[in-house]
Amino acid sequence: YFELDLTDPYTISALASCQMLPHGKNLQDVLPGDLYLRLKRHLEYVRLMLPHWVTPDQKGKGLYADYLFNAIAGNWERKKPVWVMLMVNSLTEMDVRSRGVPVLDLYLAQEAERMRKKTGAVE
């Protein structure tokens, strides 16, 4: 059994929606102005650096810098601060270079599914 069923589209959709601020709110509305500007500048820096961080193997799998940036940071201005903090923590060169390798839970769930083993989610 896993914490969440990461192979279930409903679970993925629920995870995505719980990350968002209420309708009509943006991160700029809830963060102090100077912090918001620092975050925006940092994300611009990451966007510039990503092409240098992407590995040849990732490029061979179609994981280019723009795709990775949008997959990780897409719609960041609408996310709740805690989710933005987690996103920023995952925008390091080492983390970007490991993208394309599924997280352990997802990998184990995919392997269990491939082997036709019974799985479930605790939450």
Side-chain angles (χ1 to χ4, degrees):
Y1 281 81
F2 301 97
E3 181 182 8
L4 298 170
D5 183 357
L6 297 176
T7 63
D8 177 27
Y10 174 77
T11 300
I12 301 303
S13 175
L15 274 173
S17 66
C18 83
Q19 294 180 23
M20 298 304 189
L21 289 165
H23 186 69
K25 285 275 189 193
N26 289 317
L27 201 56
Q28 191 171 12
D29 301 328
V30 297
L31 287 183
D34 60 330
L35 181 59
Y36 176 82
L37 288 175
R38 280 181 54 205
L39 174 63
K40 190 171 182 173
R41 280 194 303 269
H42 178 70
L43 291 175
E44 288 167 0
Y45 162 78
V46 169
R47 186 186 286 272
L48 288 174
M49 293 306 296
L50 262 173
H52 305 286
W53 296 348
V54 176
T55 66
D57 186 51
Q58 287 171 316
K59 289 178 186 173
K61 294 177 182 174
L63 299 175
Y64 289 93
D66 286 341
Y67 171 81
L68 284 172
F69 185 84
N70 289 327
I72 299 168
N75 214 9
W76 67 270
E77 293 182 278
R78 290 266 309 115
K79 291 185 179 181
K80 294 176 182 174
V82 67
W83 291 101
V84 172
M85 177 193 67
L86 293 169
M87 175 199 74
V88 167
N89 286 338
S90 72
L91 282 171
T92 65
E93 181 176 357
M94 190 59 70
D95 281 351
V96 167
R97 288 179 175 276
S98 69
R99 286 287 164 159
V101 177
V103 293
L104 182 59
D105 279 6
L106 180 56
Y107 171 77
L108 292 173
Q110 289 170 339
E111 282 297 297
E113 191 174 281
R114 186 181 63 76
M115 294 182 202
R116 294 181 165 63
K117 297 201 176 225
K118 182 181 176 196
T119 63
V122 176
E123 290 186 32

